[in-house]
Structure formats: C-alpha cells, structure tokens
Amino acid sequence: MKKILLLCCTLFVYSLNSFAQMDTIYSNNQKIACNVKEVTEEGVKFSHPNEDLVNSVYKNSVQKIVFKSGRVQVFTEASSFKAVTDVREFDNVTVTAVESEVKGLYKIGDVSSKAKGTTGFSNQERVKDRAYRKLKIQAAMMGANIVYLTNQRTEGNKAGGYFQAGSTAETNLTGVSYSNVVPSLADFKKLVNGRTDFASINEYRLGGSSSDYSLKELAKNFFIANIRNDNGIITIEGELEGLTDFNQFRLVGVSTDHFNIFYRDKSTVYNISVKF
C-alpha cells in the first residue's frame, strides 16, 4: 500500500514539474500547455509537448501567456472587446473595417442594415448613425460583439427636377458579425441537467424595416430535443410553442438563471430568453 501511495505521489510531482517546464497559453475558451516558439504581429506560434509540428493562434483569441520562466505577457487585442450579455448592451458592439481585427474570432453570421431619411432635409449623419445603431442591435441579438464591415453605401439628399424625382439621404451597411467568446457546451449542459422542458420569458424582435428592437414578455414552452456543437457554435434542436416553421435555434448567451436563443425568419431576427 505504501509503495502504491509513493508511486502516485511520484507521478503527481513529475506531472507538476513537467507542466511547470512548459509555457501556457490562455485563450478565450481554453488553456494550452505548450512550448511557445514565436510571438508575431498577428499571432502566437507554438508546439504541443513532445511534438515538432508548429501550430498558431491569432492574438485576438489570446488573453495571456504564462511562460515557464514565470514571465506573463498580456495581450490587449483580446481584452479590447467589450462583453455583450444582453441585447440592451448593443452599444458595446465594435464595428471595424480592418479585417485583421476579427482573425481568430468566432464567426457568427451576416448582418445588414438600412436607414433612410424621412424628408429631403434629413441630416445625412443622423441617418448614418441610425444605420450603425441597427447594425449593432442585430449583432447583439445574434450574440456577437464585433462586426467586420464589408460595405457601406451612403447617399445624401437629392433634389428632384422636372423629369426626375428627388430622394432623401440613405445609408446601407453590410458586414459579418463575430464574437471573441461563445457559450461553453459543457457549462450549458451542466445547467440544463438533463431537462427538456423550459419556459420562455422574453422576446426581442428586430424587423427588417424597423428602426429599433421591440421587447415583450412571453409565456411559451420551449422544448430541447438535442444539443450539438458546430465548430464552437452551439445549436439547439427543439421547439418553441406556437412556432411551427423552425426547429433549430442558436445558443447565444447563458447566465445562471436563463439562456438566450436566436433565430431568423426572413428579414426579421428574434432573440428569446428562456428560464432554467
């Protein structure tokens, strides 16, 4: 018995020493014990223990590196993104036209918005601000906190003529939404704890022609049939009472007392809060 205990203690101490002799990369969703080879402008190159193959991870997804020497290097790229835990925090969404700022992040989905002035004297900057606000709301509803803007078209007021009608100021935006953090499948399953029936409590809705989101209370049952991981994005196969055309929903947020699901119906997007 003493020999077994001594062997276990020896293996434990050996594993601790081995771990201490490696560098540790702390990314947004995991901890990687490795040998860091190089820190470049875009990312970190490393090798797994007892391997020669060099892997890389973008700086945007790295929070810090704890080197085996004890030195700690913190990366401001990952910490510069603000958290979006609720649709009402849409102002925390970052909009960028620099593609390198979204490398290494989780791709959530396409977003677009349009705003148009009501009269020929509409302020062009205010119209553009409305379009950006709507773009951020849509991203927040999808569980994203950064948008890579791929196209912006802005036109000012145009006076009409004898043969041509005038037009008001207009802004059209298209982009791709990303997030530096996504819900953990293991944590979500732990909170679900094998249950299949839940009650939805709130519905956020943003129509294609709407200028703002709407919020209303719900009292509908939500049933979970299956949960799967699609490259880091969690999809729930289930049923929302009264909704017959959809049976797949994206998990976009998790807290201790509720979770949020997202789905899109043509040009209208929905974010539903469901109570644990």
Side-chain angles (χ1 to χ4, degrees):
M1 185 67 181
K2 290 182 179 179
K3 290 183 178 180
I4 296 175
L5 289 173
L6 179 61
L7 179 61
C8 291
C9 291
T10 302
L11 291 173
F12 179 71
V13 171
Y14 176 77
S15 64
L16 287 179
N17 289 335
S18 299
F19 190 81
Q21 292 173 3
M22 291 185 288
D23 306 312
T24 305
I25 298 174
Y26 290 81
S27 70
N28 292 328
N29 64 342
Q30 63 179 324
K31 184 168 64 174
I32 306 170
C34 61
N35 295 306
V36 174
K37 301 294 185 180
E38 184 182 5
V39 178
T40 67
E41 289 185 3
E42 286 195 347
V44 179
K45 296 182 179 181
F46 67 93
S47 292
H48 291 291
N50 303 317
E51 292 184 8
D52 296 325
L53 179 66
V54 177
N55 304 275
S56 62
V57 60
Y58 287 109
K59 280 184 176 180
N60 286 335
S61 62
V62 177
Q63 297 175 355
K64 66 178 179 179
I65 300 175
V66 178
F67 293 94
K68 51 179 169 281
S69 63
R71 184 172 68 87
V72 178
Q73 182 173 350
V74 178
F75 292 83
T76 58
E77 290 88 347
S79 60
S80 62
F81 303 118
K82 296 180 180 179
V84 178
T85 59
D86 187 279
V87 175
R88 290 167 292 189
E89 296 177 346
F90 66 88
D91 272 332
N92 287 347
V93 174
T94 300
V95 179
T96 180
V98 182
E99 186 177 6
S100 61
E101 292 187 7
V102 298
K103 286 184 176 180
L105 304 184
Y106 294 97
K107 182 179 178 180
I108 304 300
D110 296 333
V111 289
S112 63
S113 69
K114 176 181 178 180
K116 194 172 184 178
T118 54
T119 70
F121 301 99
S122 298
N123 184 286
Q124 184 174 336
E125 285 303 312
R126 289 182 181 177
V127 171
K128 186 165 69 174
D129 287 345
R130 292 208 317 268
Y132 271 90
R133 183 177 187 273
K134 185 175 178 179
L135 194 76
K136 290 183 176 184
I137 292 172
Q138 189 178 151
M141 293 185 72
M142 299 171 68
N145 62 349
I146 182 169
V147 172
Y148 170 50
L149 195 64
T150 56
N151 184 59
Q152 173 181 305
R153 183 172 63 84
T154 299
E155 297 181 356
N157 297 307
K158 295 180 181 179
Y162 186 79
F163 296 103
Q164 185 177 4
S167 60
T168 61
E170 182 178 323
T171 293
N172 290 272
L173 305 173
T174 57
V176 183
S177 64
Y178 292 82
S179 180
N180 65 321
V181 179
V182 293
S184 163
L185 179 61
D187 292 344
F188 180 61
K189 284 188 173 181
K190 187 182 296 184
L191 290 168
V192 169
N193 195 28
R195 292 175 54 199
T196 58
D197 295 299
F198 300 86
S200 60
I201 51 178
N202 286 320
E203 176 194 86
Y204 293 94
R205 180 182 184 275
L206 179 67
S209 59
S210 304
S211 59
D212 203 352
Y213 68 87
S214 61
L215 171 61
K216 70 176 184 179
E217 293 184 357
L218 283 186
K220 296 182 178 180
N221 294 325
F222 181 68
F223 172 76
I224 294 180
N226 186 38
I227 305 170
R228 68 173 193 266
N229 189 333
D230 298 324
N231 297 319
I233 305 300
I234 300 174
T235 299
I236 300 175
E237 296 175 0
E239 180 182 344
L240 180 64
E241 183 183 355
L243 188 66
T244 58
D245 297 333
F246 296 89
N247 58 10
Q248 295 190 38
F249 307 86
R250 181 185 298 156
L251 180 70
V252 296
V254 180
S255 68
T256 55
D257 61 351
H258 74 276
F259 61 94
N260 288 77
I261 56 174
F262 167 85
Y263 72 96
R264 183 194 301 270
D265 183 5
K266 297 179 181 178
S267 62
T268 302
V269 293
Y270 297 85
N271 181 299
I272 310 294
S273 298
V274 183
K275 189 176 181 180
F276 278 118

